[in-house]
Amino acid sequence: MCLMFAILVLLVFSTSSSYSISLAHSKIPRFGFSPTQLKNAHDALTQKVDKSDHEIFYFNQDLDHFTFTPKSYMTFQQRYAIDFKHWAGAKANAPILAFLGEEASLDHDLAVVGFLGDNGPRLKALLVYIEHRYYGKSMPFGSAEEALKNASTLGYLNSAQALADYAAILLHIKEKYSTKHSPIIVIGGSYGGMLAAWFRLKYPHIALGALASSAPLLYFEDTRPKFGYYYIVTKVIKETSERCYNTIRKSWKEIDRVAAKPNGLLILSQKFKTCSPLNESSDIKDFLGTIYAEAVQYNRDWVTNMCNAINADPPNRKNDLLDRIFAGVVALKRNQTCYGTNMLLQPTKNNIAWNEKNNHIAWSWQSCTEIVMPIGYDKQDTMFQPAPYNMSSFIEGCQSYYGVPPRPHWIMTYFGIQDIKLVLRRFGSNIISSNGLSDPYSVGGVLEDISDSVVAITTKNGSHCQDISLKSKEDPEWLVMQREKEIKVIESWISTYQKDLRDLNILT
């Protein structure tokens, strides 16, 4: 997911040689939309959002689009929503803006995605939001309990099936509302942004164009960027405050030193006010690493507030290094009775993080099968203790957990992104790749124009999926300009399409 919205599902990253550690104590950057404020994330999940303009529908979707076995003909109810309010209608060939759901529920997307609603009146567009299979209420096999049970049922959860779902629903909508010549623009953020770009490449007869926001299309084993996710995390924190950076960098050894004492883990639990006792020092390290990464990924102001707290000289001047680190935690997550260090880790059936258990399970499967991104703490580009990504360990761990190994190279094979500049220059068109360069996932994004119609729009201070989030009066001018640039590109696609209809005498 992406931006100013509710909590989303987490990617699983293995940087350890031990499988039990790789799943339970991984270095986990969020992969989708963020809360409006990290410290108010729970409130963001429960806020009431006016959805009066959205009509909810269910589509009888095929379980398997690619085989012809008896089981593949099973169906499930896939949820989607339509906003008709500003649509000029089929006779006007008015466009359709379609948001392709990511690893979250439809309710979440309706609450936090602003690009469609903000531009629907301008384009006089029909607005469509489609929920991703295995998320929210779009569950095969009758229930989440059955759908998420094991590899036999989870095996139908992958990006190719999801794209085929979207194709089926969009064609159904065009037929139902007689919109044969209404151009479709697909939009997505983060993993959903990847889906939007891939959809345009795989289904160009359905989608006229795609806006892929914060989509790390190049963050796979064979296309891995020179510098990684945590290079950007380190860079942004160091640019914000070198003193803050040095304090964080020194804190890891201090945590290890305290943990080695008799009752050291108890001391750390008390110092960081953890809700449950720490089992090992990596518990608190992973918790800290995660909130640092999220602060950078979603809002540089959070980084400033955190560093100001870490750098502040206390009145009694007795705060030690870890007291300063804890002050940064409080700045990001508010003053709480205790801090749940396991909240952002790999979930189990008994670990329900803000009612997102099912989403966690589904995304854990996807990130342990095909969405395999080699993110670790590399010595040359991070302020963290080195823990390079270990693909062999990751594969071994996923196979042990699910009974099937990941296919880390399948994404490159299926979507052809190894040499993306050459490939997209030859057969790609009408794709916007938007990235904020303060987003650590931008290192895996397409940051340069590839052709006249495969364009990159970047902003120096932009964060993850910020451009497609809800508008705010406090939005900086550069963000306003970024969104305006994106919609002008989309308008040019639609204008050219409408001209083609006239030139080819397709319009009656």
Side-chain angles (χ1 to χ4, degrees), residues 402-507:
Y402 288 111
V404 296
R407 292 177 179 167
H409 304 295
W410 175 243
I411 287 291
M412 287 81 73
T413 301
Y414 190 68
F415 294 110
I417 57 177
Q418 294 94 327
D419 196 348
I420 195 166
K421 288 185 179 180
L422 178 61
V423 169
L424 291 189
R425 183 180 291 274
R426 293 178 64 191
F427 76 86
S429 63
N430 291 8
I431 298 173
I432 299 171
S433 177
S434 66
N435 284 277
L437 300 183
S438 288
D439 171 17
Y441 277 117
S442 68
V443 297
V446 178
L447 305 180
E448 298 177 354
D449 290 352
I450 292 176
S451 68
D452 291 342
S453 67
V454 180
V455 298
I457 298 176
T458 62
T459 53
K460 179 181 178 181
N461 295 321
S463 59
H464 198 60
C465 301
Q466 194 172 7
D467 56 320
I468 61 171
S469 67
L470 295 167
K471 283 184 179 180
S472 167
K473 293 180 180 178
E474 287 74 40
D475 287 338
E477 182 62 23
W478 57 260
L479 178 56
V480 174
M481 293 176 64
Q482 179 186 10
R483 289 168 172 157
E484 179 65 18
K485 187 180 295 186
E486 291 168 356
I487 197 63
K488 283 185 175 179
V489 172
I490 291 172
E491 285 178 326
S492 73
W493 296 342
I494 295 172
S495 177
T496 299
Y497 172 82
Q498 300 286 6
K499 181 177 182 300
D500 289 343
L501 290 179
R502 293 191 297 271
D503 291 347
L504 295 172
N505 294 319
I506 292 175
L507 296 178

Side-chain angles (χ1 to χ4, degrees), residues 294-333:
E294 289 178 340
V296 172
Q297 182 169 314
Y298 291 117
N299 195 319
R300 289 193 69 151
D301 289 342
W302 298 349
V303 180
T304 299
N305 293 339
M306 176 191 74
C307 283
N308 286 342
I310 288 175
N311 293 339
D313 290 322
N316 59 14
R317 299 187 179 276
K318 292 182 180 180
N319 273 21
D320 64 13
L321 187 150
L322 295 187
D323 288 330
R324 293 182 179 278
I325 294 296
F326 181 64
V329 173
V330 174
L332 287 173
K333 301 183 70 64

